[in-house]
């Protein structure tokens, strides 16, 4: 398999980290994910938007008291694509 | 893209997935409060019993046992209350619920060992073998803390081993040394790990 055929949305360090964390936890809030990945607000916003536009994650905004809260969740399609991405990686490693 | 790069990606995924399932809601201040309360409990135990009774546990009477039970019940309730508030504040800062399913599983897994420690404490109290109670709690807490490491990370494994060592020493030494071990464990170890958590780069 050609490495170029790997899912380009997932195949980026920050997006891969977001997908890995969400695949394990299901959902995470913005501060939690930011603290965990040690990225800036802007960086996390940019990459999460790319994943959201790709339909791999969903973003929910609500309020806890008066404070706004952003929660990221992995979608069914996201889980499927992430599993496929890992299978492709494993297949490529196996062929090397 | 080479083999090594692909393998590194797979390792990164595995590491990220593992790290994201770690429970990190207990803040450094929680450990510091637990440590201060633990140390205070040990010091007050010393004052309640005095050097004479600590040297000869046969002189410990029912009033002493009642006072010690009250003291440690207060230490436990105040510590748990403070830690609960600090966890709640920390979770609020991160926009999380203070009790995630992970946290609940972590606590529920410890219920049997807490019951075992409670039963042993009562049994040792009735048989007038109170000098072994510090060892029971240090050892049981060591087991609890070590098992926390499967949900949290290596810190709790080291902390658990420290409690197990102190508990083992407390089990085979005179009451006065056992009390020092109790203070060193519930006071010292908690404070040391609280300071470590406060100072380590990830906490900043």
């Amino acid at each position: 398999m050609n490495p170029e055929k790997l899912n380009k949305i997932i195949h980026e360090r920050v997006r891969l980290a977001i997908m890995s964390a969400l695949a394990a936890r299901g959902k995470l809030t913005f501060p939690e994910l930011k603290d965990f990945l040690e990225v800036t607000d802007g960086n996390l916003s940019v990459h999460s938007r790319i994943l959201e536009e790709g339909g791999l994650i969903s973003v929910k905004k609500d309020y806890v008291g008066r404070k706004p809260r952003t929660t990221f969740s992995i979608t069914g399609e996201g889980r499927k694509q992430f599993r496929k991405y890992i299978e492709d990686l494993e297949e490529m490693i196996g062929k090397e | 893209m080479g083999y090594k790069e692909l393998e590194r990606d797979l390792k990164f995924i595995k590491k990220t997935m593992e790290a994201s399932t770690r429970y990190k809601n207990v803040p450094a201040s929680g450990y510091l409060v637990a440590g201060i309360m633990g140390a205070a409990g040990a010091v007050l135990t010393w004052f309640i019993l005095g050097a004479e009774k600590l040297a000869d546990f046969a002189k410990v009477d029912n009033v002493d046992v009642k006072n010690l039970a009250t003291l440690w019940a207060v230490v436990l309730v105040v510590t748990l209350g403070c830690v609960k508030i600090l966890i709640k504040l920390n979770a609020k800062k991160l926009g999380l619920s203070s009790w995630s399913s992970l946290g609940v599983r972590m606590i529920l897994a410890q219920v049997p060992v807490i019951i075992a420690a409670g039963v042993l404490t009562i049994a040792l109290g009735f048989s007038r073998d109170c000098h072994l109670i510090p060892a029971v709690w240090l050892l049981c807490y060591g087991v609890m803390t070590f098992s926390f490491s499967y949900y949290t990370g290596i810190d709790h494994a080291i902390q658990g081993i420290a409690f197990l060592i102190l508990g083992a020493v407390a089990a085979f030494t005179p009451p006065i040394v056992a009390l020092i071990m109790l203070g060193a464990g519930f006071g010292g170890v908690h404070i040391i790990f609280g300071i470590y958590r406060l100072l380590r780069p990830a906490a900043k």
Side-chain angles (χ1 to χ4, degrees):
Chain A
M1 188 184 174
N2 183 353
E4 294 299 313
K5 286 186 180 170
L6 277 174
N7 187 320
K8 285 194 175 55
I9 301 178
I10 300 176
H11 194 64
E12 192 282 333
R13 209 65 168 173
V14 177
R15 295 199 288 273
L16 186 57
I18 295 173
M19 288 302 290
S20 303
L22 289 176
R25 289 284 294 272
K27 61 180 179 181
L28 289 162
T29 62
F30 191 100
E32 194 179 19
L33 204 49
K34 187 189 147 198
D35 177 62
F36 170 65
L37 301 179
E38 291 176 351
V39 291
T40 62
D41 285 13
N43 211 359
L44 182 56
S45 297
V46 168
H47 289 292
S48 61
R49 198 175 307 127
I50 294 170
L51 290 169
E52 188 190 10
E53 283 167 5
L56 304 184
I57 66 167
S58 63
V59 183
K60 187 182 145 202
K61 289 177 193 279
D62 60 0
Y63 283 86
V64 181
R66 287 182 179 180
K67 282 180 82 177
R69 178 175 64 180
T70 303
T71 310
F72 301 107
S73 309
I74 189 164
T75 61
E77 181 59 23
R79 214 172 267 286
K80 201 173 130 193
Q81 297 275 341
F82 184 64
R83 206 175 297 132
K84 172 87 173 44
Y85 176 84
I86 293 173
E87 282 168 6
D88 289 345
L89 264 185
E90 284 172 338
E91 194 189 320
M92 277 188 266
I93 291 170
K95 279 183 182 173
E96 282 281 338
Chain B
M1 187 185 285
Y3 170 81
K4 279 191 176 167
E5 204 177 326
L6 295 171
E7 203 179 44
R8 206 171 53 221
D9 278 347
L10 259 186
K11 276 185 187 162
F12 175 73
I13 293 169
K14 194 181 163 210
K15 199 177 145 198
T16 311
M17 288 178 85
E18 276 178 6
S20 68
T21 53
R22 284 185 186 154
Y23 186 77
K24 298 197 295 183
N25 275 11
V26 182
S29 51
Y31 289 90
L32 291 173
V33 167
I36 291 164
M37 290 304 297
V43 170
L44 288 172
T45 299
W46 188 297
F47 279 116
I48 288 173
L49 293 178
E52 194 188 344
K53 285 177 183 172
L54 277 168
D56 181 8
F57 240 64
K59 289 179 182 168
V60 173
D61 55 28
N62 285 340
V63 177
D64 295 323
V65 172
K66 201 177 152 191
N67 288 341
L68 288 177
T70 309
L71 166 70
W72 284 98
V74 170
V75 167
L76 183 71
V77 170
V78 173
T79 305
L80 290 179
C82 290
V83 172
K84 193 181 170 190
I85 291 168
L86 291 165
I87 286 176
K88 223 170 176 172
L89 291 173
N90 189 47
K92 200 176 169 188
K93 194 177 83 185
L94 291 171
L96 307 169
S97 117
S98 52
W99 288 108
S100 64
S101 56
L102 198 64
V104 172
R105 259 189 293 159
M106 216 170 104
I107 298 299
L108 288 181
Q110 309 311 324
V111 171
V113 75
I114 295 170
I115 293 172
V119 170
L120 281 169
T121 303
I122 295 166
L124 291 170
F126 275 118
S127 67
R128 283 274 177 259
D129 289 315
C130 303
H131 62 285
L132 286 172
I133 293 174
V136 165
W137 280 97
L138 284 165
L139 290 168
C140 288
Y141 193 75
V143 171
M144 276 172 63
T145 317
F146 190 86
S147 67
F148 278 161
S149 69
Y150 292 100
Y151 300 90
T152 57
I154 188 78
D155 301 6
H156 270 129
I158 298 167
Q159 204 177 319
I161 291 166
F163 272 96
L164 289 172
I165 293 169
L166 293 170
V169 173
F172 298 102
T173 45
I176 195 155
V177 180
L179 183 61
I180 292 168
M181 294 299 115
L182 191 71
F186 288 102
V189 174
H190 276 141
I191 290 172
I192 288 168
F193 277 85
I195 292 169
Y196 165 70
R197 282 179 171 88
L198 203 65
L199 298 179
R200 71 177 166 189
K204 286 178 184 169

